[in-house]
Amino acid sequence: MTRIDAKFAELNAAGKKAFVAYVMAGDPDYDTSLEIVKGLPGAGVDIIELGLPFTDPMADGPTIQLAGQRALDGGMTLQKTLDLAAEFRKADDTTPIVLMGYYNPIYSRGVEAFLTDAKAAGIDGLIVVDLPPEEDSELCIPAQAAGMNFIRLATPTTDGKRLPKVLQNTSGFVYYVSITGITGAAEAEATDVGPEVTRIKASTDLPVIVGFGINTPEKAQNIASVADGAVVGSAIVSQIGAGKSTTEVLEFVKSLADGAHRA
């Protein structure tokens, strides 16, 4: 059982929904980023999504693209991202960390070396948005063999024919993208999301967590009420990008987590 599996078992037993927070590793700099990540569990975050900075993101809107650029400009690398996770693990051995990014930096390092190092750093799961199920032998299956969850995205355009393929080797949870388009581009609506979550859950026992387009505590509550939890990324990253203090960022995160936990 991974930390992700254990977290959902714990939440389920307590009758609670999950709150997942995304931050870009190294944004605005390594030290501030580490301080924010260390503060997320205390702000009510159940699972941390740690963005891996990459030069050519395809699913990210301007807010997260700029965060990645700030991180890269500050010298952030795959190794430093793993170092940040390892540093976090020194004080927290229970909060799951999902590394979210693109395949190129992983491929450049070599899959075997990456999985060994990521596991040692305390990474629990991977979301690699540009590796479709047809490429499962590249990273998904080796990751599962190494004891890491491989989390797949489902979207409004994932129809009944495609869904079984998407779910085939997915573990940990299913990440449902609530809108068509990039991060931060539109707002999620529970009336649209609810039936889609029900459709996905008819084909899997995995929790379904909804992300994209969630930017307020009320929205987090509404979306979590029709799913197993909510993910917020751009709204948090925009606070960091605006130069808010770590305390202010974490207060905002807590308001979102409280919203999701009210669902």
Side-chain angles (χ1 to χ4, degrees):
M1 181 182 275
T2 66
R3 289 187 188 93
I4 296 170
D5 300 329
K7 176 57 70 175
F8 278 112
E10 174 195 321
L11 289 166
N12 198 39
K16 286 177 69 177
K17 301 301 180 77
F19 180 67
V20 184
Y22 170 98
V23 292
M24 179 67 72
D27 176 36
D29 56 68
Y30 181 92
D31 291 339
T32 306
S33 179
L34 177 58
E35 190 181 354
I36 291 169
V37 172
K38 282 182 172 179
L40 292 176
V45 173
D46 298 302
I47 297 172
I48 297 167
E49 265 183 32
L50 194 59
L52 177 60
F54 182 53
T55 50
D56 300 285
M58 63 177 72
D60 298 317
T63 300
I64 291 177
Q65 282 191 35
L66 288 168
Q69 200 56 56
R70 288 192 296 270
L72 291 168
D73 289 347
M76 204 61 183
T77 61
L78 171 55
Q79 182 57 54
K80 286 185 178 179
T81 301
L82 296 179
D83 291 345
L84 190 150
E87 195 63 35
F88 171 86
R89 279 278 170 249
K90 289 179 181 178
D92 187 319
D93 195 41
T94 56
T95 305
I97 299 177
V98 175
L99 192 65
M100 184 171 188
Y102 299 86
Y103 186 45
N104 189 283
I106 296 169
Y107 177 79
S108 297
R109 191 183 191 95
V111 167
E112 192 175 334
F114 165 75
L115 289 174
T116 299
D117 295 342
K119 186 74 176 170
I123 301 295
D124 304 292
L126 303 174
I127 300 175
V128 183
V129 296
D130 55 346
L131 270 184
E134 286 75 14
E135 307 297 335
D136 274 357
S137 58
E138 281 281 322
L139 180 63
C140 172
I141 291 168
Q144 310 260 35
M148 266 182 270
N149 292 124
F150 198 89
I151 295 141
R152 191 83 68 192
L153 304 178
T155 74
T157 58
T158 306
D159 60 19
K161 186 178 177 185
R162 181 67 174 167
L163 186 61
K165 189 80 173 171
V166 168
L167 296 174
Q168 188 174 11
N169 291 314
T170 299
S171 66
F173 61 92
V174 178
Y175 187 133
Y176 179 68
V177 176
S178 66
I179 58 171
T180 50
I182 52 175
T183 57
E187 292 201 0
E189 297 296 341
T191 49
D192 298 328
V193 169
E196 289 297 293
V197 171
T198 301
R199 180 172 72 90
I200 294 166
K201 287 179 80 68
S203 299
T204 182
D205 292 330
L206 292 171
V208 179
I209 307 299
V210 177
F212 286 48
I214 303 168
N215 49 24
T216 65
E218 295 72 28
K219 190 71 75 175
Q221 181 178 358
N222 291 342
I223 294 299
S225 71
V226 297
D228 294 302
V231 186
V232 179
S234 293
I236 297 169
V237 171
S238 67
Q239 297 274 313
I240 297 168
K244 298 288 180 71
S245 69
T246 298
T247 300
E248 289 171 317
V249 171
L250 293 174
E251 283 174 355
F252 177 64
V253 171
K254 185 177 186 310
S255 73
L256 296 164
D258 288 347
H261 290 149
R262 280 194 298 269

